[in-house]
Amino acid sequence: MRYAPDRLLHQRRRAQAITRILDQGFGVPPSMLFLCYGNICRSPFAAEAMSRALLQGEGGGGDVSSAGFFGPGRPSPDAAIAAARRRGVDMNAHRSRLVAEDLALAVDCIFVMDPRQRVELNRLLPGLQTPVLVLGDLDPCRVEQRGIPDPYGKDDEFFDSTFRRIERCVGSVAGLIRTDHG
């Protein structure tokens, strides 16, 4: 019951997120920032997956980066590196960094992994005009919950499930961008 509203409202939220992306008039290629709490699992994987997805489309890749709210300079945990490797993404060199105003202002769009992170970002950077979207709203599949759960400290299956969902959402975004500009 906890996530019933997320399941029931997913199609509406997805349609609204798609409309925001298409109406945004992103640059070609667009610049994007992916945020999660610690910037060691979800957001670096999303940024790498998005970079790859955009490179596969016409026009090449845009400026895609990631950041977090906690603990700069940390590497991704071994479980995240292994799960990313299974999906063809190398996260060995990644080191976490903090979201900062200059970073948030320099991009066309920001994607957060959880609605609470959008609230936190607005608290940290009041008056931010950059669109902030919940990445999970773009999942083309039925969802249990709106946010993309943090796999930190979880098993390989949880990491794989999380990264598959991120790839689906990133694929939706990349497809919309290619449709809008290609």
Side-chain angles (χ1 to χ4, degrees):
M1 289 305 274
R2 177 179 177 193
Y3 297 113
D6 289 349
R7 287 190 300 273
L8 295 172
L9 295 173
H10 180 65
Q11 290 302 330
R12 179 182 298 160
R13 287 179 175 146
R14 179 172 161 70
Q16 290 170 341
I18 289 170
T19 298
R20 284 193 73 191
I21 289 171
L22 293 176
D23 288 349
Q24 189 59 40
F26 288 141
V28 179
S31 59
M32 291 172 258
L33 174 64
F34 290 88
L35 291 179
C36 69
Y37 181 65
N39 187 224
I40 58 173
C41 297
R42 294 170 293 174
S43 60
F45 179 77
E48 289 300 319
M50 177 58 79
S51 293
R52 289 172 52 131
L54 289 175
L55 286 171
Q56 292 172 359
E58 294 180 25
D63 179 24
V64 180
S65 58
S66 68
F69 297 97
F70 171 77
R74 298 175 306 134
S76 294
D78 291 341
I81 292 170
R85 186 178 317 114
R86 288 191 292 275
R87 310 205 70 73
V89 173
D90 181 4
M91 289 179 28
N92 281 305
H94 176 75
R95 295 298 178 266
S96 62
R97 69 177 174 168
L98 294 176
V99 65
E101 186 173 17
D102 60 336
L103 185 60
L105 294 173
V107 297
D108 294 314
C109 190
I110 299 171
F111 292 95
V112 295
M113 300 296 147
D114 187 284
R116 294 172 296 200
Q117 292 164 354
R118 180 168 46 193
V119 172
E120 179 65 12
L121 183 62
N122 288 327
R123 187 190 68 72
L124 285 173
L125 304 174
L128 180 67
Q129 297 298 311
T130 306
V132 181
L133 299 170
V134 178
L135 184 62
D137 286 347
L138 289 144
D139 195 331
C141 297
R142 294 181 65 118
V143 301
E144 265 311 296
Q145 59 183 302
R146 185 177 188 194
I148 297 174
D150 191 351
Y152 183 78
K154 304 286 194 300
D155 62 19
D156 288 348
E157 185 177 321
F158 198 95
F159 265 97
D160 288 336
S161 174
T162 299
F163 284 7
R164 274 192 306 273
R165 183 164 183 212
I166 289 171
E167 283 181 321
R168 286 193 311 266
C169 297
V170 160
S172 290
V173 174
L176 290 168
I177 291 168
R178 283 194 294 270
T179 298
D180 195 34
H181 298 294

